[in-house]
Amino acid sequence: MKDRYIDVEDLIAARATPPGISALAIVRVAGPGCVDAVSRAFSRPERLRAAEGRTLVRGALLDIRDGRPVDDLVAAVFRAPESPTGQDQVDFMTHGSPAVVAAVVDALAALGFRKALPGEFSFRAFVAGKADLVESEAIDELSRARTAQAREAALRRLGGGPSAEIARIRTEVHELLAACEVLLDYPEDEVAGNLTSRLPAARGAVEALAKLSAGHAGARLRLEGARVAVAGRTNAGKSSLFNRFLREERSIVSDEHGTTRDWIEASVDLEGIPIVLHDTAGLRSTDDRTEAEGVRRSRLLLESADLILYVVDGTVGLAEEDGEFLAERPDALPVWNKADAPGCGPVPEGFHSVSALDGRGFQDLALAMVARLPGGSGSADGLAGERQAALVEAARASLSDAIAAIGAGEPLDLVSLDLRAASDSLGELTGETASPDVLETIFTRFCVGK
Ligand SMILES: Nc1nc2c(ncn2[C@@H]2O[C@H](COP(=O)(O)OP(=O)(O)OP(=O)(O)O)[C@@H](O)[C@H]2O)c(=O)[nH]1
Ligand SMILES: [Mg+2]
């Protein structure tokens, strides 16, 4: 039978730290009665069985099949309901080698623990009411955050800021719905005022949803990042510019034309946005087959980049090919490089003047890049997930339709349909009304051991 998230009574176990060698690793187990279950294979069973929540017990985990010790470890014991999952839970701090972790997980399997599905611990925390869906997703986002900004924003979402706002809006929708339904049942005039008096607050709710919706692109960009490619003719200084962003001599720089062939990628933090930066082969037609292949691959890469920095050597000036490229890709950010060189010509309109040699102009260039990225000018504070953004937008549209319909004097049963749709979208957002399938899809995206 397939393991299901819905089987929250199963005893589950999984490694919660990344694979590979480290000093320590964590193997997490959860489920009703799991402390008693692991005590059966512990060198100090009574001590572990009697452990209170949030205490540590040191001992050896044994393999019940032969009684031999598997690892000397520390068990962090949590008791329901005051545990991260809301269930009895033990986090074993083991030695960090893959061999130890595999043996610990295997010993736990021998005790009847099944391997946890991705996100299954978080799912149990959600079921226990420890976190709503927005907060659960924030935990996942926190473990994926690559910059300080992304981390801080995920932490605020985890703190329940948006969740409280969404709950407040949903209450507003329910009040309006109740006023509608009273009027449907008792169509006398004296209750009509109840509906209209709620309208200003409902409009406020639409505005709040619009604000949440507008914050999505900025939050998404800070979490997911973007791909930026450095392009231009040979010798423009692309690799030099790439290296300056990395603060490292990663890409080979030389005054020979056609130095870079295979494109190179590296991660950089650009004003809090995690960027994958690509250095590419200089664009020119060439008889050299290897270089031509490099140019072909670079062109392919440029097609899928979120932003192109198009670098021109200011000491050489604009060539026909530069004009052609920029006409074809008006979304590219033109860069006039080698501003330090005495022979550097005047900066053409729309170009950003920089020197990859001494770094001048890079701060302005970084800001221009951020402004060009979708969501770059927004803050990191909105909801980062696509699912979340779509539901906020759906709720906004339904509530806004309902308000317009009330204003136009349309039948109240139609209005209440819109209001129900808004309430459902918000309920799905926080998870209150999300179907098991939706929940499963969301938690499956998390890491195993989360
Ligand atoms: N003065 C000056 N020289 C630069 C600057 N940037 C690059 N150069 C020089 O220009 C030459 C080419 O630099 P690269 O960074 O290799 O140029 P590229 O665009 O990567 O060249 P390809 O890989 O051949 O396409 C090297 O001699 C660099 O030292 C700059 O800002 N100022
Ligand atoms: Mg190069």
Side-chain angles (χ1 to χ4, degrees), residues 239 252 260 279:
S239 300
I252 300 174
T260 308
D279 183 19

Side-chain angles (χ1 to χ4, degrees), residues 233-240 252-260 281-282 337-338 340-341 355-357:
R233 288 192 291 136
T234 55
N235 231 38
K238 299 179 295 300
S239 300
S240 308
I252 300 174
V253 167
S254 121
D255 56 5
E256 258 176 67
H257 286 250
T259 307
T260 308
N337 188 32
K338 311 197 186 180
D340 63 281
S355 164
L357 194 70

Side-chain angles (χ1 to χ4, degrees), residues 149 153 156-157 214-222 375-382:
Q149 268 195 24
R156 280 193 288 271
R157 289 191 283 273
H216 167 61
R220 184 186 167 282
L221 180 65
R222 267 80 188 177
S377 44
S379 86
D381 265 338

Side-chain angles (χ1 to χ4, degrees), residues 71 101 180 437:
D71 189 24
V101 173
C180 249
D437 283 352

